[in-house]
Amino acid sequence: MTQVADPIAVFDSGMGGISVLKEMVGLMPNEDFIYYGDSKHAPYGTKTLEEVRKLTIEHISDLIEHNHAKAIAVACNTATSAAVRILREMYPAVPLVGVEPAIKPAVMACENPKILVMATPMTLHEDKFHQLEALYINQADIYPVPCPGLMEFVEQGILDGDQLDNFLKGKIEPYLDKGITGIVLGCTHYPFVRKRIEAIAGPSIEVFDGSLGTARELLRRLTVAGLNRKDDHKGQVTFLNSSEDLSKIQLARNLFEREI
Ligand code: DGL
């Protein structure tokens, strides 16, 4: 039987979902959270749809059935496109949110939007993205930019330096003469390198990510289900990771404590 005091589980292929977790803890400081990173199997973004679907369903089922999670945030764009629809069918009573690239606010932010969407190859390849893109295609120029290799910097705790800057320049600079107005961070790992992306893109380009919107949506769903805590409990975050490398837990804590 689900209890209001049960934890909320936040899931990602590795460290990226910590960017979403931070917004959730800010919004719901009295809730307990379990953060599960599947670093052993990361990256997800270059795997097949079937592989990502299987891994995501396995881990989320475990979080609900063994860790007694009362609600789930799939804090990974790639896993969201592969598995959220199926998970909602499997667990209709569990409040569950996914993430998707924040194209809407980027389109609404200006008159002639020209937007880069940085994300994993799988996110940009899936129907979910094509349907989202189709909603705005008449109002904006949208340039999908697959970034295989970028999440690995964050997984290794590399958040600045020449190697990272050269990688980002290779992705962003070819578009700068198109009058880009916004960059959407369509992978939850990327907010950790947001400052470098902003520095390379320059001050006239606004950078968007959907973490706060996802946190608000989870709170809304919890409230509708009557599962949000109303006491003044001091919420705890427990970090779990599938990797045998114990330094992943320390990296997760460091990223959680770091200002984005
Ligand atoms: N953090 C993930 C996302 O939002 C994916 C990174 C990966 O595993 O490739 O898409």
Side-chain angles (χ1 to χ4, degrees):
M1 177 73 183
T2 309
Q3 318 263 346
V4 171
D6 286 340
I8 297 168
V10 180
F11 172 78
D12 179 50
S13 62
M15 303 292 150
I18 295 167
S19 59
V20 182
L21 172 72
K22 281 168 82 71
E23 297 291 2
M24 290 182 170
V25 171
L27 201 62
M28 297 170 261
N30 57 345
E31 297 283 357
D32 288 334
F33 288 86
I34 296 174
Y35 181 84
Y36 189 94
D38 190 13
S39 294
K40 183 176 179 176
H41 301 106
Y44 277 15
T46 47
K47 288 189 164 44
T48 66
L49 175 73
E50 290 69 30
E51 287 172 314
V52 174
R53 185 171 283 164
K54 185 169 176 289
L55 287 166
T56 306
I57 291 176
E58 249 170 53
H59 291 307
I60 303 279
S61 299
D62 233 41
L63 288 163
I64 294 173
E65 287 163 26
H66 298 124
N67 298 91
H68 306 288
K70 66 175 175 180
I72 298 287
V74 182
C76 173
N77 293 257
T78 313
T80 296
S81 15
V84 154
R85 192 180 45 77
I86 298 171
L87 285 163
R88 288 213 171 101
E89 282 166 19
M90 288 173 70
Y91 299 104
V94 179
L96 191 149
V97 293
V99 285
E100 64 177 24
I103 295 182
K104 184 176 179 179
V107 170
M108 299 307 160
C110 66
E111 223 158 87
N112 286 308
K114 294 185 195 302
I115 294 155
L116 292 193
V117 184
M118 298 172 71
T120 70
M122 209 193 104
T123 297
L124 298 175
H125 186 260
E126 279 314 302
D127 287 350
K128 198 169 190 307
F129 178 73
H130 294 132
Q131 285 160 12
L132 180 67
E133 193 182 22
L135 296 176
Y136 302 102
I137 208 83
N138 293 330
Q139 304 162 57
D141 292 340
I142 297 176
Y143 303 96
V145 184
C147 298
L150 182 49
M151 71 83 80
E152 284 84 342
F153 284 94
V154 179
E155 284 297 295
Q156 290 164 40
I158 302 171
L159 308 182
D160 52 27
D162 288 350
Q163 219 192 334
L164 174 64
D165 277 8
N166 289 337
F167 181 99
L168 292 171
K169 282 178 188 163
K171 296 292 171 189
I172 297 168
E173 282 181 351
Y175 295 92
L176 290 181
D177 62 356
K178 295 189 193 301
I180 297 300
T181 58
I183 296 180
V184 173
L185 306 182
C187 168
T188 53
H189 280 75
Y190 304 169
F192 288 109
V193 293
R194 181 189 186 117
K195 290 206 173 87
R196 296 318 308 151
I197 291 173
E198 284 172 344
I200 289 161
S204 62
I205 299 179
E206 200 177 338
V207 176
F208 299 85
D209 85 86
S211 308
L212 182 58
T214 306
R216 288 190 179 128
E217 178 58 15
L218 182 68
L219 175 57
R220 192 189 69 76
R221 284 180 189 243
L222 270 177
T223 310
V224 168
L227 284 173
N228 57 315
R229 277 188 94 129
K230 296 177 193 76
D231 55 6
D232 59 1
H233 171 73
K234 189 173 172 339
Q236 303 287 317
V237 180
T238 305
F239 289 98
L240 304 176
N241 195 288
S242 57
S243 171
E244 288 87 37
D245 177 356
L246 296 179
S247 69
K248 290 289 178 194
I249 299 288
Q250 191 51 50
L251 176 60
R253 288 207 182 97
N254 293 347
L255 289 171
F256 180 66
E257 270 150 31
R258 189 188 163 94
E259 205 187 306
I260 293 187

